[in-house]
Amino acid sequence: MAHSKEVFRCPVSQLMNVLSGPWTMYILWVLSTDGPTRFGALKRRIEGISTKVLTERLRLLEQEGILFRHYEPTVPPQVTYGLTDRGQELVGILDQLNLLAQRWYGQTAECVGV
């Protein structure tokens, strides 16, 4: 008998699967510190990320209910992303990671890119 995908997974495993993708934690960090941000500004702020990867990560985080996407049908269209209430629950963890990073790697004037 072939094995099917597990229906029930460990909640920590599920969360880590979402958060461990490339650039994900940094996207969340930027949104937690800058607030709602338009797509182009996110792309500029996260130096080195491709449009494809940024789009994929944002879609996944939106599907998980961590981010909201606000679309304005202007020319050109304006798309803004921000943290939902669920995403806001991560802010304390992101702040703790920031403090740890500062202790381990020293404090810099400004973080740009990963």
Side-chain angles (χ1 to χ4, degrees):
M1 177 155 124
H3 293 282
S4 63
K5 284 188 176 180
E6 288 182 40
V7 176
F8 301 103
R9 293 179 25 188
C10 170
V12 172
S13 175
Q14 288 179 280
L15 181 59
M16 293 305 292
N17 188 46
V18 171
L19 298 180
S20 66
W23 298 96
T24 302
M25 293 297 287
Y26 197 72
I27 292 167
L28 293 171
W29 171 249
V30 169
L31 291 173
S32 76
T33 56
D34 294 357
T37 306
R38 290 184 40 194
F39 183 89
L42 270 175
K43 177 111 173 47
R44 286 187 300 276
R45 178 81 154 81
I46 305 171
E47 193 175 294
I49 193 170
S50 70
T51 300
K52 178 182 181 238
V53 171
L54 179 57
T55 300
E56 288 172 355
R57 297 283 89 200
L58 290 171
R59 283 184 184 154
L60 172 69
L61 293 167
E62 182 185 9
Q63 288 170 357
E64 290 291 323
I66 297 169
L67 297 184
F68 69 82
R69 178 182 187 268
H70 178 75
Y71 175 81
E72 285 288 329
T74 57
V75 178
Q78 295 180 6
V79 181
T80 303
Y81 293 90
L83 297 177
T84 62
D85 289 343
R86 190 175 195 183
Q88 288 292 333
E89 291 183 64
L90 294 167
V91 172
I93 295 166
L94 293 167
D95 287 343
Q96 289 297 311
L97 285 171
N98 177 47
L99 292 173
L100 180 63
Q102 288 178 14
R103 275 198 315 271
W104 283 14
Y105 302 110
Q107 193 167 348
T108 59
E110 182 176 331
C111 294
V112 251
V114 175

